[in-house]
Amino acid sequence: MVINPIARVLAGTLTLVLAACGGSQPTAPPPTQAPAAPAAAPGAPASAGSGSVTGKISFEGSAPAAEKVKLSADPKCAAMHKEGLERQAIKVTDGGLADVLVYVKSGAQGTEVPAEPALLDQKGCDYSPHMLVLVAGQKLKIRNSDDTLHNIHPRPKDNQEFNIGQPRQGMESEKSFDKPEILIPVGCDVHPWMRAYIAVLSNPYFSVTGEDGNFTIKGLPPGEYEIEAVHGKLGKDKAAAARITVKAGEAAKLDLTLRG
Amino acid sequence: MLTAGATLFLIFAGGLVTSTGSGLAVPDWPLSYGMLMPPMVGGIFFEHGHRLIAATVGFLTLVLALWTARTERRAGVRRLAWSALGVVIAQGVLGGLTVLFLLPTSVSVSHACLAQTFFCLTIALAYATSREWLAVAPLEIDGAGVSNAATFATGVVFVQLLLGALMRHLHAGLAIPDFPLAFGRLVPHFESPGVVIHFSHRVGAVVVLLAVVRLVLSALRSGLRPLRRTATAALVLVLLQVGLGASTVLSVRAVLPTTLHVATGAALLGACFFAMLRARRLLSPVPGAPEPAAMVRAAA
């Protein structure tokens, strides 16, 4: 048979592929909708107290300069930002660090799940907010406010990863994360500059710093707590924590510094 | 030839998808955002573009299989064409699965490897139907040396491509950030699987270079111009490939060198595979063995 040399070669190659590339790693299960969040009382946690923790998160180190985003890949995004768009991963104003999650790491009693969903909006080809905080089991509402399509792709380690598309303006989807997990990066693979973080907590006591780095965690019952401050870009390795005692009706003061 | 060329371009486009991080820019399959033709913006341009080129290659392969079934008298060639069609369909399904399952390493690496295999199939089909295959009678020269060298080079390059695909899909491309040394040493500390895979790929590059040099020397000894040309092309490609590999690391995985590294790897595999086919076709494995051309005539 004339074709025999080729047939032999191809049979060998195919065998090699099947042996080498079949992959022994089990394939991941298909993405599924996480169970719906349990019902919970609206507003403040049921066990809300009158104490609070307030303070400022400062930054020490050199923050990277703002990066100019190349919007030309999507003319609709470019049209939304005629003056251009800059992305500042670490925003510092007067020493205060913005977008820092400050939360009760330990000491909180109760795990009430807010009934209201937390909203992650895609607006102006950017995320709002850049640090979104949920309680495990709370619904996450994802909205596309843009007249262009986005995909939403969180990359959790402990929760179920998913990737969904929202091709039309005004589309909304609901998801949830079952397990507490600090700092889940979320991004849009269509527009790679779009990046945000989702934090899934076990309790509803948290705050996210404003532009000036200030924060207030409200509604805390009296007690001793461990408070941690963590920034998405700096990561968990550079988080700062402290123990603090909260008294009824009083605002405990806590300032922390994150180092770059 | 057209299908083989389109396949090489498809591999380049597939490389662009991973180099730009656009593998999940289209979250659904077989449609794209529920559409046949979504807006080609951002990462969708790369991912959906790859799907469109793949569909074109699939169509070309279907035409090739039907054409071969209609006109080709050799059953082996007809089987080869139908195999190519089966492989390209399997490749499309693997591509879909890797999107739906969010890029699991095993599926993504299988997708990468099957692409190279399909490319070799198209080369085999092109050669089996070429004038050189049909017209030339094997020379009474012992071709075992060059044939073995080409077979070894093809196998080594394929393993190297497998390592490259693993490195790419495990995001270990910068696990060793310097070149030509590794963390300033000849042999790094193997502190993570990424470093192991990355360093294995570098060692593999040396093995591939030696295998291709051996192929060139064997081809030169054979005295046959077509073999010398193919082997020399393989040597040029392997040197280019080493340069592109270095550029990939030193440019911190810039899109162009990273993608060209993928495509040149495929071209190198194709060159070694073609050299193997040519050696087996043009030279007699054992002096005095029946001539394949005579067997073609007898079969006809």
Side-chain angles (χ1 to χ4, degrees), chain A residues 190-235:
Chain A
V190 180
H191 308 106
W193 63 85
M194 288 177 66
R195 289 288 179 264
Y197 293 91
I198 295 174
V200 186
L201 305 180
S202 59
N203 67 73
Y205 304 109
F206 64 87
S207 177
V208 176
T209 58
E211 296 286 320
D212 52 5
N214 290 331
F215 72 94
T216 300
I217 303 174
K218 293 177 181 170
L220 279 165
E224 188 173 315
Y225 300 99
E226 184 186 9
I227 308 289
E228 185 171 77
V230 58
H231 185 271
K233 181 69 178 175
L234 296 171

Side-chain angles (χ1 to χ4, degrees), chain B:
Chain B
M1 284 285 286
L2 178 64
T3 309
T7 303
L8 188 58
F9 182 58
L10 176 60
I11 291 172
F12 175 79
L16 266 180
V17 170
T18 39
S19 300
T20 56
S22 307
L24 292 173
V26 180
D28 51 341
W29 183 86
L31 292 175
S32 299
Y33 288 90
M35 299 174 248
L36 283 173
M37 193 66 204
M40 298 292 273
V41 296
I44 299 171
F45 175 80
F46 300 108
E47 170 59 21
H48 192 70
H50 180 53
R51 293 184 187 189
L52 292 178
I53 299 165
T56 306
V57 168
F59 178 72
L60 286 174
T61 311
L62 175 66
V63 170
L64 187 64
L66 293 174
W67 187 267
T68 306
R70 188 181 156 91
T71 60
E72 178 59 55
R73 299 175 70 177
R74 292 167 294 170
V77 176
R78 290 200 300 271
R79 278 199 296 272
L80 200 60
W82 287 116
S83 302
L85 184 62
V87 168
V88 82
I89 291 169
Q91 177 69 349
V93 171
L94 273 180
L97 289 178
T98 202
V99 166
L100 296 178
F101 287 88
L102 306 174
L103 310 181
T105 304
S106 57
V107 181
S108 298
V109 172
S110 299
H111 186 59
C113 290
L114 200 56
Q116 309 289 346
T117 308
F118 176 72
F119 181 47
C120 289
L121 277 172
T122 58
I123 289 172
L125 270 168
Y127 187 49
T129 51
S130 68
R131 259 184 292 179
E132 180 174 296
W133 179 280
L134 295 170
V136 175
L139 298 169
E140 289 293 320
I141 301 170
D142 183 1
V146 64
S147 176
N148 289 343
T151 306
F152 180 71
T154 305
V156 165
V157 171
F158 194 88
V159 172
Q160 176 70 345
L161 289 174
L162 170 64
L163 279 172
L166 269 174
M167 190 172 77
R168 195 169 174 75
H169 292 285
L170 290 172
H171 308 290
L174 294 175
I176 299 175
D178 49 342
F179 184 91
L181 293 176
F183 294 102
R185 302 159 52 95
L186 275 177
V187 179
H189 296 297
F190 296 113
E191 289 168 340
S192 69
V195 172
V196 174
I197 291 169
H198 188 121
F199 192 69
S200 303
H201 191 61
R202 291 193 185 189
V203 173
V206 176
V207 177
V208 165
L209 179 61
L210 294 175
V212 172
V213 167
R214 180 187 165 209
L215 169 62
V216 171
L217 294 175
S218 302
L220 289 175
R221 274 199 297 271
S222 77
L224 216 57
R225 200 173 165 197
L227 274 177
R228 284 205 312 266
R229 275 182 173 177
T230 313
T232 306
L235 184 62
V236 170
L237 285 169
V238 81
L239 293 174
L240 176 64
Q241 182 70 338
V242 169
L244 286 168
S247 302
T248 299
V249 172
L250 297 176
S251 69
V252 198
R253 279 196 315 187
V255 170
L256 192 60
T258 309
T259 309
L260 284 174
H261 191 56
V262 173
T264 307
L268 174 60
L269 177 72
C272 293
F273 184 72
F274 186 39
M276 179 175 70
L277 294 179
R278 274 190 144 171
R280 290 177 183 221
R281 178 63 187 147
L282 300 178
L283 304 173
S284 176
V286 181
E291 296 178 6
M295 292 167 70
V296 173
R297 285 192 293 273

